[in-house]
Amino acid sequence: MISDEDFIKDPKVPGPTKEEIRCLVMCKSEVSKDDIVVEVGCGTGGLTLEFARLAEKVYAVDKNPKALKITNMNLEKHKMQDNVQLIQGSAPQVFNELPSFNILMVGGSSGELSPIIENGYKKLNPNGKIIVTAILLETRLEAILNMQKVGLKPDIIDVHISKGKIIKRGTMMEGRNPVAIISAKKI
Amino acid sequence: MISDEDFIKDPKVPGPTKEEIRCLVMCKSEVSKDDIVVEVGCGTGGLTLEFARLAEKVYAVDKNPKALKITNMNLEKHKMQDNVQLIQGSAPQVFNELPSFNILMVGGSSGELSPIIENGYKKLNPNGKIIVTAILLETRLEAILNMQKVGLKPDIIDVHISKGKIIKRGTMMEGRNPVAIISAKKI
Amino acid sequence: MISDEDFIKDPKVPGPTKEEIRCLVMCKSEVSKDDIVVEVGCGTGGLTLEFARLAEKVYAVDKNPKALKITNMNLEKHKMQDNVQLIQGSAPQVFNELPSFNILMVGGSSGELSPIIENGYKKLNPNGKIIVTAILLETRLEAILNMQKVGLKPDIIDVHISKGKIIKRGTMMEGRNPVAIISAKKI
Amino acid sequence: MISDEDFIKDPKVPGPTKEEIRCLVMCKSEVSKDDIVVEVGCGTGGLTLEFARLAEKVYAVDKNPKALKITNMNLEKHKMQDNVQLIQGSAPQVFNELPSFNILMVGGSSGELSPIIENGYKKLNPNGKIIVTAILLETRLEAILNMQKVGLKPDIIDVHISKGKIIKRGTMMEGRNPVAIISAKKI
């Protein structure tokens, strides 16, 4: 994985998703080199770059032009612009202009998780995956309910990672904010 | 419990121990109103004040004069100086000048956990409790090993608390640093 | 606290609430000896007994007669029946027959958390506390939303405890199921 | 990743390492298709199969013949025997008969973590990785100290995962045992 420190950041743009969460998202996505990925709420581009490394094509969508700018800077820094298309806009609408896809990754939903999952599901290829990362309690539950609504059976993990920091007196364990990963496969 | 925000703090003094950890330490200590408590490494005084509220007498020891000053300011703020004696010094030596006690609470040990537990155990009354709070991996293990060395059977819990913060979009879960509480009763 | 092992259990009755969670509930409740406590969903009686130890009077309500029977067996075992009244019934209705109270503890709500909080709030004395323990994601969110609806500002903690188990090769950390405690004070 | 349920298990053999931990180990290992991997304490073969999928060659070592038997059954089940060699024996000795390697994965060390890391480090190619998974507090600390002893700078994460289980009343969060992953790169 790309190290958390290797991303250009902006205080007004969320992310990057921490290394361990990016790792778990990649595993849950079962991404492979022929996959078309649509990412909603790309923020700093943490997951965008990981998907770009492993997939055929990534469409990274965000409402916030600043997020797209930072994501682009990170793609440039890591020389990974080739298979990523950045799209400014609102997710459920943007889907109409995109080809069908294999992976829908939702990192930010601006309160529109329900139409994102409903419409995203329609554009999702068979065996495709929907993944939602959630820092809010509300998002955890909306992701579960909306996946169930379209007939998916969500896998839900809540990930609490403590990081060991070696200081003079020993190894201090520092808590990270928990992140939930809700994912499901279209059958 | 006293709220975390109700303590006077100093950037050079650790603490106060967070409310939930103070609560669990009180429960594990089984403190009651006739108890004599010795606290090693009182820091900001978080646990000192809780013990002062519930015990007969608290001896709060710290090597750092600044810690004792802050603890004293917090005792004054909450009008709880009456049954607390502040002692500057090194814990295993200080024990010699103290009466026997019912609770030994170690919040900071400056690398001397082994003699603190060994000598503290000798001064501990029957049914007395030793409690160690640990933020370092090393302290977790030293507490267990040194308690076992004097024949105690430690109870070990590692406490990870996430706090819900209500923001505009919902309830964000924020991770706290994990703290271990190792405790044992002298039989 | 009473040890987890010291409760009589029944496979069909949930609980007892683990020692550390009971401890945190007691602290969040700020229970004192003049308090009237109403507990909804007493289950095995874990919290009932802790409140009985510290409060003036506890009304323990459960829909399930088996739960009340087990709670009663635990009260008898620990000789704590004196200030506990067991009530079979549905919580929001039962409130009508009770005096006003200082603490409303909800450990199980059978899908009626909204009326329990709404009606319970009306019977709650000034400075009274409402506490909800939640093992479900849904309950976490319903507790927050319903407390906010009656004008309360909930304190939310999600508690993850690992317990150290000493085996031949060392100290194994065993994860417990996380429990959320949502609490608020009526002002 | 292979699903936890897709492994043949034996009550006397530890493992398989849970899916999410396997995922994080793969990321921390930075395994690629030319890598030679040595795995000490393969147990059920959970990590063996993941490495076999991604690396050139895996040498899976275990003292326990039953573990090797189960690992072999899992390799057969998933048709992955081609690039895995199973070796019964004690790790630091076995290293002598092996070529140099790129990844040393230690899932079980039978109290010999110090010589395993010391000798393994010598056989490790430049840019090679050592990874230790730990369920014991003691192993966490020994891994850190022994990596530091040979000049490595360990990355330490303690992973606490709760799994959402959908039951009739909602989504219950179930705690898993925490696992630490200590890893370092030879420079």
Side-chain angles (χ1 to χ4, degrees):
Chain A
M1 314 301 291
I2 300 162
S3 163
D4 293 346
E5 286 72 40
D6 281 350
F7 286 95
I8 298 161
K9 283 163 218 178
D10 183 299
K12 286 185 183 151
V13 175
T17 303
K18 292 269 189 298
E19 181 194 323
E20 287 83 7
I21 303 299
R22 280 183 275 131
C23 167
L24 288 165
V25 167
M26 290 306 119
C27 291
K28 294 288 180 186
S29 78
E30 294 178 358
V31 58
S32 70
K33 65 183 171 45
D34 300 324
D35 284 342
I36 309 295
V37 179
V38 173
E39 191 194 0
V40 177
C42 60
T44 299
L47 289 164
T48 318
L49 272 73
E50 302 294 349
F51 276 120
R53 218 162 38 97
L54 299 167
E56 167 75 16
K57 176 83 185 179
V58 180
Y59 297 95
V61 184
D62 209 299
K63 280 181 166 174
N64 180 1
K66 201 160 264 171
L68 294 166
K69 200 182 146 197
I70 294 288
T71 294
N72 199 39
M73 285 166 73
N74 278 308
L75 287 165
E76 279 177 5
K77 181 182 173 184
H78 292 89
K79 303 198 194 317
M80 300 179 75
Q81 312 105 300
D82 284 1
N83 60 340
V84 179
Q85 188 180 323
L86 301 173
I87 302 170
Q88 200 210 323
S90 183
Q93 284 74 50
V94 165
F95 290 166
N96 298 326
E97 301 148 38
L98 296 177
S100 69
F101 40 82
N102 307 98
I103 292 172
L104 172 61
M105 166 64 222
V106 187
S109 54
S110 313
E112 303 191 283
L113 195 52
S114 174
I116 289 171
I117 290 177
E118 195 184 343
N119 295 343
Y121 179 76
K122 290 178 194 158
K123 301 276 295 196
L124 199 66
N125 291 331
N127 294 314
K129 285 262 187 170
I130 300 184
I131 303 132
V132 177
T133 55
I135 55 166
L136 301 180
L137 266 188
E138 287 79 358
T139 311
R140 284 160 164 86
L141 210 54
E142 283 167 31
I144 296 168
L145 295 176
N146 283 295
M147 286 186 187
Q148 290 179 319
K149 217 167 127 185
V150 296
L152 294 169
K153 291 192 177 170
D155 170 275
I156 305 142
I157 57 169
D158 214 323
V159 184
H160 296 244
I161 286 186
S162 308
K163 191 105 189 164
K165 187 181 171 183
I166 294 173
I167 57 175
K168 212 193 275 183
R169 295 175 298 132
T171 311
M172 203 182 116
M173 300 310 294
E174 297 187 319
R176 292 273 183 82
N177 292 344
V179 179
I181 303 173
I182 301 104
S183 57
K185 187 185 228 160
K186 183 173 186 170
I187 304 173
Chain B
M1 313 301 291
I2 300 161
S3 164
D4 292 347
E5 287 72 40
D6 280 351
F7 286 95
I8 298 161
K9 283 164 217 176
D10 183 299
K12 286 184 184 152
V13 175
T17 303
K18 292 270 189 296
E19 181 193 322
E20 287 83 7
I21 303 299
R22 279 183 276 132
C23 167
L24 288 165
V25 167
M26 289 306 118
C27 291
K28 294 289 181 187
S29 78
E30 296 178 356
V31 58
S32 70
K33 64 184 172 44
D34 299 325
D35 284 343
I36 309 295
V37 178
V38 173
E39 192 194 1
V40 177
C42 60
T44 299
L47 289 164
T48 319
L49 272 73
E50 300 295 348
F51 276 119
R53 218 163 39 95
L54 299 166
E56 166 77 15
K57 175 84 185 178
V58 180
Y59 296 95
V61 184
D62 209 297
K63 279 182 167 174
N64 181 0
K66 201 160 264 171
L68 295 167
K69 198 182 147 197
I70 295 289
T71 294
N72 199 39
M73 286 166 73
N74 278 308
L75 287 166
E76 278 176 6
K77 182 182 173 183
H78 292 88
K79 304 197 192 319
M80 300 178 77
Q81 312 106 298
D82 284 0
N83 60 339
V84 179
Q85 188 179 325
L86 301 173
I87 302 170
Q88 200 209 323
S90 184
Q93 283 75 51
V94 164
F95 290 167
N96 299 326
E97 301 150 37
L98 297 177
S100 68
F101 40 81
N102 307 97
I103 293 173
L104 172 61
M105 166 66 223
V106 187
S109 54
S110 313
E112 304 190 282
L113 195 52
S114 174
I116 289 171
I117 290 177
E118 195 184 342
N119 295 343
Y121 179 76
K122 289 177 194 158
K123 301 277 295 197
L124 199 65
N125 291 331
N127 294 314
K129 285 262 186 171
I130 300 185
I131 304 132
V132 176
T133 56
I135 56 167
L136 302 180
L137 266 187
E138 287 79 358
T139 310
R140 283 161 166 85
L141 212 53
E142 283 167 32
I144 296 168
L145 294 176
N146 282 294
M147 286 185 187
Q148 290 179 319
K149 218 168 127 185
V150 295
L152 294 168
K153 293 193 175 171
D155 170 275
I156 305 143
I157 59 170
D158 214 324
V159 185
H160 296 243
I161 286 185
S162 307
K163 191 105 189 165
K165 186 181 170 182
I166 294 174
I167 57 175
K168 214 193 274 184
R169 295 175 299 130
T171 310
M172 204 182 115
M173 300 310 295
E174 298 188 317
R176 293 274 182 83
N177 291 344
V179 178
I181 303 173
I182 301 103
S183 57
K185 187 185 227 158
K186 183 173 187 171
I187 306 171
Chain C
M1 313 301 292
I2 300 161
S3 165
D4 292 348
E5 287 73 40
D6 281 351
F7 287 94
I8 297 160
K9 283 164 218 177
D10 183 299
K12 286 185 183 150
V13 175
T17 303
K18 292 268 190 296
E19 180 194 324
E20 287 83 7
I21 304 299
R22 279 183 276 132
C23 167
L24 288 165
V25 167
M26 290 305 118
C27 291
K28 294 288 181 186
S29 77
E30 296 178 355
V31 59
S32 69
K33 63 184 173 45
D34 299 325
D35 284 343
I36 308 296
V37 179
V38 173
E39 192 193 0
V40 177
C42 61
T44 299
L47 289 164
T48 319
L49 272 72
E50 301 294 349
F51 276 119
R53 217 163 38 97
L54 299 165
E56 166 77 15
K57 175 84 186 178
V58 180
Y59 297 94
V61 184
D62 210 297
K63 280 181 166 175
N64 181 0
K66 201 161 263 171
L68 294 167
K69 198 182 147 197
I70 295 290
T71 294
N72 199 39
M73 285 166 74
N74 278 307
L75 288 166
E76 278 176 6
K77 180 181 174 184
H78 292 88
K79 302 198 193 316
M80 300 178 76
Q81 312 105 297
D82 285 359
N83 61 340
V84 179
Q85 188 179 323
L86 302 173
I87 302 170
Q88 200 209 322
S90 184
Q93 283 74 51
V94 164
F95 291 167
N96 299 325
E97 302 149 38
L98 296 177
S100 67
F101 40 82
N102 307 98
I103 293 173
L104 172 61
M105 166 66 222
V106 187
S109 54
S110 313
E112 303 190 282
L113 196 52
S114 174
I116 289 171
I117 289 178
E118 196 184 341
N119 295 344
Y121 179 77
K122 289 177 194 158
K123 301 277 295 197
L124 199 65
N125 291 331
N127 294 313
K129 285 260 185 172
I130 300 185
I131 304 132
V132 177
T133 56
I135 56 167
L136 301 180
L137 266 187
E138 288 78 359
T139 310
R140 284 161 165 85
L141 212 53
E142 282 167 33
I144 296 168
L145 295 175
N146 284 293
M147 285 185 187
Q148 290 180 318
K149 217 167 128 187
V150 295
L152 294 169
K153 292 192 177 171
D155 170 275
I156 305 141
I157 58 170
D158 214 324
V159 185
H160 297 244
I161 285 184
S162 308
K163 192 105 190 165
K165 186 181 170 183
I166 294 173
I167 57 175
K168 214 194 273 183
R169 295 175 299 129
T171 311
M172 205 183 114
M173 300 310 295
E174 297 187 319
R176 293 274 182 82
N177 291 345
V179 178
I181 303 173
I182 301 104
S183 57
K185 187 185 226 160
K186 182 173 186 171
I187 306 172
Chain D
M1 313 302 292
I2 300 161
S3 164
D4 293 346
E5 287 72 40
D6 281 352
F7 287 94
I8 298 161
K9 283 163 219 178
D10 184 299
K12 286 184 185 152
V13 175
T17 303
K18 292 270 188 297
E19 181 194 323
E20 287 83 6
I21 303 299
R22 280 183 276 130
C23 167
L24 288 165
V25 167
M26 289 305 118
C27 291
K28 295 288 179 186
S29 78
E30 294 178 357
V31 59
S32 70
K33 64 184 171 45
D34 300 326
D35 284 342
I36 310 295
V37 178
V38 173
E39 192 194 0
V40 177
C42 61
T44 299
L47 289 164
T48 318
L49 271 74
E50 301 294 349
F51 277 119
R53 218 163 38 97
L54 299 166
E56 167 76 15
K57 177 84 186 178
V58 180
Y59 297 95
V61 184
D62 210 298
K63 282 182 165 173
N64 180 1
K66 200 160 265 173
L68 295 166
K69 200 182 147 198
I70 295 288
T71 294
N72 199 39
M73 286 166 73
N74 278 308
L75 287 166
E76 278 177 7
K77 181 182 173 182
H78 293 89
K79 303 197 192 318
M80 301 179 76
Q81 312 105 300
D82 285 359
N83 60 340
V84 179
Q85 188 180 324
L86 301 173
I87 302 170
Q88 200 211 322
S90 183
Q93 283 74 51
V94 164
F95 291 167
N96 299 326
E97 302 148 38
L98 296 177
S100 68
F101 40 82
N102 307 98
I103 292 173
L104 171 61
M105 166 65 222
V106 187
S109 54
S110 313
E112 304 190 282
L113 195 52
S114 174
I116 289 171
I117 289 178
E118 196 185 341
N119 295 344
Y121 179 76
K122 290 178 193 157
K123 301 276 296 195
L124 198 67
N125 291 331
N127 294 314
K129 284 260 186 172
I130 300 185
I131 303 131
V132 177
T133 55
I135 55 166
L136 301 180
L137 266 187
E138 287 79 358
T139 311
R140 284 161 165 85
L141 211 53
E142 283 167 31
I144 295 168
L145 295 175
N146 283 294
M147 286 186 186
Q148 289 179 318
K149 216 167 129 186
V150 296
L152 294 168
K153 291 191 177 173
D155 170 275
I156 305 142
I157 57 169
D158 214 323
V159 184
H160 296 244
I161 286 186
S162 308
K163 193 106 190 165
K165 186 181 171 183
I166 294 173
I167 58 175
K168 212 193 274 183
R169 295 174 299 130
T171 311
M172 204 182 114
M173 301 309 295
E174 297 187 317
R176 293 273 183 83
N177 291 345
V179 179
I181 303 173
I182 301 105
S183 58
K185 187 185 226 158
K186 182 173 187 171
I187 304 173

